[in-house]
């Protein structure tokens, strides 16, 4: 199983509100470090965004709040 598939499987088991919180925390953390995303952060964000979109969450609205 690839790293991305593993993340997807793990995150897909979690409730939507927890995924929203995790994505928000990663985004805020990146903003505080002048947007210096590591490869790992980018992978997590990619998977979280994908799952949240599949669940009907407007990710752009979530992050603009």
């Amino acid at each position: 199983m690839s790293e991305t598939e593993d993340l997807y499987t793990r995150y897909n088991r979690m409730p939507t509100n927890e995924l929203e919180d995790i994505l928000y925390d990663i985004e805020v953390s990146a903003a505080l470090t002048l947007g210096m995303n590591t490869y790992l952060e980018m992978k997590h964000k990619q998977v979280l965004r994908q799952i949240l979109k599949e669940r009907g969450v407007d990710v752009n609205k979530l992050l603009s709040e």
Side-chain angles (χ1 to χ4, degrees):
M1 184 177 288
S2 76
E3 177 183 356
T4 302
E5 291 171 331
D6 184 45
L7 285 174
Y8 184 90
T9 300
R10 188 175 78 195
Y11 280 138
N12 204 30
R13 294 180 184 140
M14 297 174 73
T16 301
N17 64 325
E18 286 185 37
L19 299 178
E20 291 172 339
D21 290 344
I22 293 168
L23 179 60
Y24 184 82
D25 289 345
I26 291 172
E27 291 288 351
V28 169
S29 170
L32 293 174
T33 58
L34 304 174
M36 298 175 67
N37 288 317
T38 65
Y39 172 79
L40 186 59
E41 286 174 325
M42 291 175 65
K43 277 299 201 193
H44 283 260
K45 284 172 36 177
Q46 175 187 13
V47 171
L48 287 165
R49 286 173 179 268
Q50 178 183 350
I51 294 171
L52 289 170
K53 285 180 182 176
E54 290 172 2
R55 294 183 183 184
V57 175
D58 183 348
V59 175
N60 293 327
K61 183 177 178 186
L62 170 70
L63 297 175
S64 66
E65 295 177 346

